[in-house]
Amino acid sequence: MAYKIRDVQPDDADELARIYSPYVLNTAVSFEYEAPSADEFKERKARITERYPFIVCEKDGILTGYAYAHAYGPRKAFSWTVETSIYVDRKCRRQGVGSMLYKELEDRLREQGIVNLLAGVAFCDAEDEYLSHDSYKFHLREGYVKVAHMKTVGKKFDRWYDLIWLQKKIG
């Protein structure tokens, strides 16, 4: 069966939590310390989909990843700019899932009149057991460019990590 991209549904919450939890608990990819529950994912889905797309990729009925956009800032002048997030099941990485999700997300955002995509990516100069350069390199391959590098802004696993902001113009 081929991969299928679709809108997130409330009953996807358990699978979203399953995909995201290892990133929270075992990596510095996410700066969250506690993995959100399925109920928290239902709330996040409800907030996000009021205005922006939240999509999932599935294969054989199993979620392989998800992506969404949310407001960059509350001021009206930011109405054409969003922050994007993407997470792929760690067993499904390097199979094109991320690229498929971002392509669909970008198409939908472009239809909404969005012009700028921003992505915040955790970074460290030397990769360690909690953080590789995979997300940074993925975003560069997807056409994002580095626009800011903030040093030692997130602390996790008793280590400091940087935050790189990347931008992609789609409008």
Side-chain angles (χ1 to χ4, degrees):
M1 179 180 221
Y3 290 101
K4 175 184 170 185
I5 306 288
R6 62 170 174 77
D7 290 325
V8 70
Q9 300 299 314
D11 59 353
D12 291 327
D14 287 330
E15 285 293 285
L16 298 174
R18 177 191 61 78
I19 290 168
Y20 186 55
S21 290
Y23 288 101
V24 173
L25 300 174
N26 305 319
T27 77
V29 169
S30 168
F31 284 170
E32 288 194 75
Y33 278 29
E34 295 181 23
S37 67
D39 287 338
E40 172 61 23
F41 266 102
K42 287 178 185 175
E43 291 174 20
R44 291 180 184 190
K45 178 252 181 235
R47 280 192 311 270
I48 291 164
T49 57
E50 285 177 4
R51 187 164 172 202
Y52 297 108
F54 191 144
I55 57 175
V56 298
C57 180
E58 67 177 29
K59 183 176 182 182
D60 299 327
I62 306 290
L63 292 194
T64 59
Y66 66 90
Y68 62 87
H70 59 91
Y72 169 68
R75 293 186 173 91
K76 186 71 172 164
F78 294 130
S79 295
W80 298 269
T81 300
V82 297
E83 184 177 346
T84 60
S85 292
I86 186 167
Y87 289 93
V88 173
D89 185 317
R90 296 183 64 78
K91 296 178 295 215
C92 301
R93 291 171 48 209
R94 294 184 176 81
Q95 296 177 23
V97 172
S99 293
M100 285 186 283
L101 282 164
Y102 258 4
K103 181 187 180 320
E104 179 67 21
L105 186 67
E106 289 173 16
D107 288 347
R108 292 180 184 207
L109 291 168
R110 196 176 291 110
E111 288 175 12
Q112 284 184 243
I114 299 299
V115 176
N116 295 295
L117 309 179
L118 300 175
V121 175
F123 190 81
C124 54
D125 290 329
E127 294 177 305
D128 64 26
E129 67 268 33
Y130 302 112
L131 188 64
S132 70
H133 292 160
D134 289 353
S135 183
Y136 176 66
K137 290 175 183 176
F138 167 76
H139 281 85
L140 293 176
R141 281 192 308 274
E142 293 299 312
Y144 286 73
V145 295
K146 180 177 166 181
V147 293
H149 189 147
M150 298 180 289
K151 300 285 189 168
T152 62
V153 296
K155 189 173 185 181
K156 196 164 177 185
F157 307 114
D158 290 321
R159 299 174 190 195
W160 285 101
Y161 291 97
D162 300 349
L163 182 64
I164 291 179
W165 279 102
L166 299 120
Q167 178 179 11
K168 182 174 182 178
K169 300 279 242 176
I170 61 169

